[in-house]
Amino acid sequence: MGHLGLTPQSASSLGGFRVQGKDAARAARIVEDAKILEEAGTYAILLEMVPDRLCQLITKRAHIPIISLGSGPDANGQLLIFHDMFGLYPALQAENGESVWQRGRSHSERPQAVC
């Protein structure tokens, strides 16, 4: 499986835990890297923290499954990390500061917020 966008092992060199591919040059590089990975025979690509429009474009062009990890709803699949979903590391929360779990207002609504 290929992995593009934020790669946590390289976060410090990428400017921290931030959305990757916001500018045109970096977005074009991610699109090209996705094409290279597909041509090399990877069976799927994980796009981590790239803009949702970029994820949508790559998903539309690819002939293999694209999995989104914080890259919008338009991929073939979604990956949620338990610690992110439940806000267990406040220092690493999403830009809006909200975990998926917090979207439900009451305990009875929280399971629906995740689905």
Side-chain angles (χ1 to χ4, degrees), residues 8 13 15 34-35 37 43 45-46 48 57-58 69 73 78 86 101-102 108 112 114:
S13 67
K35 182 179 176 186
L37 285 171
Y43 64 90
I45 297 173
L46 174 66
E48 183 169 351
L57 174 69
I58 292 170
L69 176 59
Q78 298 287 321
F86 291 101
W101 189 252
Q102 291 170 323
S108 63
Q112 287 79 20
V114 175

Side-chain angles (χ1 to χ4, degrees), residues 3-61:
H3 187 178
L4 299 174
L6 175 70
T7 49
Q9 65 274 19
S10 303
S12 60
S13 67
L14 295 171
F17 289 90
R18 301 174 181 209
V19 174
Q20 303 296 309
K22 284 181 164 181
D23 64 88
R26 182 68 182 129
R29 180 66 195 178
I30 292 171
V31 169
E32 181 63 23
D33 287 347
K35 182 179 176 186
I36 290 168
L37 285 171
E38 183 174 0
E39 289 173 353
T42 192
Y43 64 90
I45 297 173
L46 174 66
L47 292 178
E48 183 169 351
M49 290 185 68
V50 301
D52 58 350
R53 293 181 70 195
L54 182 57
C55 179
Q56 184 180 37
L57 174 69
I58 292 170
T59 301
K60 183 185 276 189
R61 291 182 178 181

